[in-house]
Amino acid sequence: MSVAGFFSPFPKKNGRAAPHCNSQGRDQNIRLWDLAEGRTAVTDSVGTKSFGFCRCSLLEVAEGRWLLALPWKDLAEVGELTRKALAPAVFLQIASGASCTYLAPGQPNLFSQCQVRVLELPSKNSVCTLKPEPDAKLGLPMCLKLWQPNTGSHPFLLAGYENGSLALWNLSMGKTLSRLACHQEPIMSLDFDSEKGKGVSGSSEKQLCVWNPDEQQKLQLQNTISLTNPGVADVVLRQDRKILATGGWDYRVRLFGWKKLKPLAVLDYHTATVHCVAFSVHAQPRERLMAAASKDHRISVWSIYNPT
């Protein structure tokens, strides 16, 4: 089982963030772990019902209230599609007397598109289910990012898809506001700066794409950053919106200045793909750390460009 983990401000005890970890695995579950006082107990879980792997997104929208966006597949719909798809296949098998089942051309790919469901936490009530138009041909969602322009406003969702497209969803309306074909390959990761109103995404290509929604919430490509080697597994913005970090297939972590997209450093430590990068949250900026996790079974911890 492969696991992608992320830390968040959920839950709280006595008004302070409690030590915990949210983990997401290929077993179709998201679990909340209690890490207080050395414990490693699972205190809650949410099933995704997803047959692919797409990193979820968590957003605190109010005190004691969070939204969780996760990939979702309606199992009842899958069952209906299976019945419709196999009906002509069984008929052809009987008519021909062949010993193998043949799926007729034009039959639907059962898992070619996956929905995104947004849940409210801690109640786990469904807020909405986002389903692309049948003719969109986006493929599976590969990465998600919940965000809201300011406190109290309606939240939005950015989703990167298998066909290289980026979609901006309005959660209150449950529909797509705009789409942007910014990559030729599946979007592996994305992050968004709600203060500056621009985001960044990476794929298996040798570039990063920087984009922004305009005043009409139409996504537009703003810039591209050329890379030395192809393959970006993760892109992360530091909380102060000054540093952009990427984890690459070339075993390296790359740092850029977010304002002007200027390359700052290449961290060469790992001996395999760097799958994820994360920044810690500290009250004192000089205490901030960056961690990178790699396929080489190592986690490196760095102190980078912190004010003294």
Side-chain angles (χ1 to χ4, degrees):
M1 179 182 70
S2 178
V3 175
F6 53 91
F7 285 86
S8 71
F10 169 78
K12 291 184 178 180
K13 294 181 180 179
N14 301 322
R16 301 181 62 184
H20 75 284
C21 176
N22 294 304
S23 65
Q24 177 189 355
R26 292 184 186 271
D27 61 353
Q28 303 178 28
N29 283 290
I30 299 170
R31 291 188 167 88
L32 176 66
W33 299 77
D34 180 7
L35 305 182
E37 300 176 358
R39 292 191 293 268
T40 55
V42 176
T43 59
D44 204 353
S45 65
V46 177
T48 66
K49 297 185 180 180
S50 171
F51 295 93
F53 184 73
C54 169
R55 190 179 301 181
C56 299
S57 179
L58 188 68
L59 174 69
E60 185 175 16
V61 292
E63 181 69 25
R65 180 173 175 262
W66 296 262
L67 293 181
L68 174 69
L70 64 161
W72 191 267
K73 191 67 182 181
D74 189 333
L75 298 183
E77 179 184 349
V78 172
E80 180 64 15
L81 285 173
T82 303
R83 185 187 65 79
K84 291 180 179 179
L86 293 184
V90 174
F91 173 78
L92 290 174
Q93 181 185 18
I94 296 174
S96 64
S99 58
C100 61
T101 301
Y102 172 75
L103 186 61
Q107 294 304 314
N109 181 349
L110 304 185
F111 310 113
S112 62
Q113 293 204 106
C114 188
Q115 305 167 13
V116 175
R117 176 161 289 189
V118 179
L119 304 178
E120 182 185 46
L121 298 179
S123 68
K124 301 183 186 178
N125 293 329
S126 176
V127 175
C128 62
T129 301
L130 308 175
K131 184 177 181 180
E133 300 86 349
D135 60 347
K137 298 180 180 180
L138 299 177
L140 296 171
M142 305 296 291
C143 47
L144 306 170
K145 179 67 177 182
L146 286 164
W147 65 280
Q148 58 184 150
N150 48 66
T151 304
S153 61
H154 292 295
F156 296 87
L157 174 74
L158 285 159
Y161 287 91
E162 190 177 8
N163 75 337
S165 293
L166 180 72
L168 176 61
W169 292 86
N170 184 312
L171 301 189
S172 61
M173 301 171 65
K175 72 173 186 179
T176 308
L177 296 178
S178 63
R179 288 201 301 268
L180 175 66
C182 52
H183 292 275
Q184 298 297 316
E185 299 293 335
I187 299 178
M188 306 303 296
S189 60
L190 65 88
D191 205 353
F192 186 72
D193 180 351
S194 58
E195 292 184 3
K196 294 183 174 64
K198 67 176 182 178
V200 59
S201 54
S203 69
S204 61
E205 301 164 299
K206 294 176 63 175
Q207 67 175 22
L208 299 172
C209 289
V210 180
W211 33 263
N212 68 288
D214 61 17
E215 295 180 355
Q216 286 74 42
Q217 301 297 346
K218 181 179 180 181
L219 291 169
Q220 53 189 4
L221 185 64
Q222 190 180 89
N223 199 359
T224 59
I225 306 174
S226 297
L227 302 174
T228 304
N229 300 309
V232 179
D234 200 12
V235 295
V236 180
L237 290 167
R238 199 167 71 178
Q239 287 80 0
D240 60 3
R241 274 82 172 176
K242 293 182 178 180
I243 302 293
L244 166 66
T246 68
W249 294 3
D250 61 356
Y251 317 163
R252 293 168 174 81
V253 176
R254 285 181 162 79
L255 304 177
F256 301 85
W258 179 230
K259 184 177 181 179
K260 298 182 179 180
L261 305 176
K262 179 183 177 181
L264 300 178
V266 179
L267 307 181
D268 185 5
Y269 170 79
H270 291 283
T271 58
T273 297
V274 177
H275 283 300
C276 56
V277 182
F279 289 99
S280 65
V281 179
H282 286 88
Q284 297 295 329
R286 65 177 180 273
E287 297 178 356
R288 282 189 298 236
L289 299 172
M290 184 191 74
S294 168
K295 190 178 178 180
D296 63 9
H297 301 221
R298 295 179 180 179
I299 298 174
S300 57
V301 180
W302 309 77
S303 176
I304 53 167
Y305 299 107
N306 288 330
T308 57

